Amino acid sequence: ENYIKEAKAGFYFDKTDSSSFVANHARMILSLLAYNLVSFLKQLLPAAQVGLLVDTLRLRLFKIAGKVVHSGRKIQLKLSSHHVYRNLFYQLLARIQALS
């Protein structure tokens, strides 16, 4: 039941903007893809952070001031030095890199 509430509140799974079935179906598939991605990220989070809601994860991990820098053959992401949840972001990034 909580999974359904999270899908509706965090991913707007129940929202149908279009009168077209195909457009609404495509929106639902994208919502499910986002839900699965966040569920995967929750499994990689440290134990203290596992119960976070989607809005909180979005705020802590995805709403980060940064700049993409191209130099030579590298593409780097330069994050703000004032980002409060920098350690959480890098912990999650290290766990994702350890998977491969």
Side-chain angles (χ1 to χ4, degrees), residues 30-96:
L30 286 174
S31 295
L32 285 175
L33 182 64
Y35 178 80
N36 287 335
L37 179 64
V38 168
S39 295
F40 172 70
L41 290 177
K42 279 186 176 182
Q43 292 176 359
L44 297 176
L45 286 173
Q49 309 287 334
V50 171
L52 295 177
L53 296 175
V54 176
D55 293 333
T56 309
L57 280 176
R58 188 179 297 137
L59 177 69
R60 292 184 182 182
L61 297 175
F62 299 118
K63 291 184 179 179
I64 301 173
K67 182 167 70 170
V68 177
V69 178
H70 299 275
S71 61
R73 295 183 183 184
K74 289 185 179 179
I75 299 176
Q76 295 179 337
L77 177 62
K78 303 280 186 172
L79 298 177
S80 171
S81 62
H82 300 291
H83 180 55
V84 179
Y85 303 106
R86 178 176 58 242
N87 293 334
L88 176 65
F89 180 82
Y90 284 119
Q91 282 178 354
L92 186 64
L93 182 62
R95 289 181 180 197
I96 291 172

